[in-house]
């Protein structure tokens, strides 16, 4: 998958994460999303490999790029967005 297609897929994932309460940013250095549950929390980097969104490098999580809503749901669950956070957005 070329960089332009990766960026389009990541943009779709970013849109699917809108309203989730996560802090999401698109990397300007490579096609990837930075996602975190709070401003002071650790980041999860989401990239694309072999037509799948990939995160968690140690115990790799993958989800097909054709289903950004499903990937967003998995990411929200992984980051436990419902947990109490001091900087909870209104």
């Amino acid at each position: 998958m070329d960089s332009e297609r990766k960026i389009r897929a990541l943009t779709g994932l970013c849109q699917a994460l809108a309203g989730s309460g996560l802090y999401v940013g698109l990397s300007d250095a490579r096609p990837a999303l930075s996602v975190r549950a709070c401003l002071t929390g650790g980041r999860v980097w989401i990239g694309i490999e072999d037509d799948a969104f990939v995160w968690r490098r140690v115990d790799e999580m993958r989800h097909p790029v054709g289903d950004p809503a499903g990937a967003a749901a998995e990411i929200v669950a992984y980051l436990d967005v419902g947990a109490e956070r001091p900087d909870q957005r209104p």
Side-chain angles (χ1 to χ4, degrees), residues 2-23:
D2 65 24
S3 289
E4 187 176 320
R5 287 184 57 215
K6 287 180 180 181
I7 291 169
R8 276 186 282 175
L10 290 166
T11 299
L13 178 57
C14 187
Q15 290 170 337
L17 288 166
S20 68
L22 294 174
Y23 295 85

Side-chain angles (χ1 to χ4, degrees), residues 17-32:
L17 288 166
S20 68
L22 294 174
Y23 295 85
V24 182
L26 189 59
S27 171
D28 59 355
R30 63 186 173 105

Side-chain angles (χ1 to χ4, degrees), residues 1-88:
M1 180 180 281
D2 65 24
S3 289
E4 187 176 320
R5 287 184 57 215
K6 287 180 180 181
I7 291 169
R8 276 186 282 175
L10 290 166
T11 299
L13 178 57
C14 187
Q15 290 170 337
L17 288 166
S20 68
L22 294 174
Y23 295 85
V24 182
L26 189 59
S27 171
D28 59 355
R30 63 186 173 105
L33 285 183
S34 164
V35 181
R36 54 191 171 164
C38 63
L39 289 175
T40 58
R43 276 177 220 272
V44 173
W45 285 99
I46 302 166
I48 296 179
E49 295 175 7
D50 302 323
D51 292 327
F53 295 112
V54 179
W55 63 99
R56 283 180 23 185
R57 297 293 176 197
V58 175
D59 55 343
E60 189 174 272
M61 295 292 299
R62 302 176 71 80
H63 196 91
V65 295
D67 180 23
E74 286 189 33
I75 293 163
V76 167
Y78 170 65
L79 292 173
D80 194 18
V81 173
E84 205 48 47
R85 297 193 312 263
D87 65 339
Q88 188 95 22

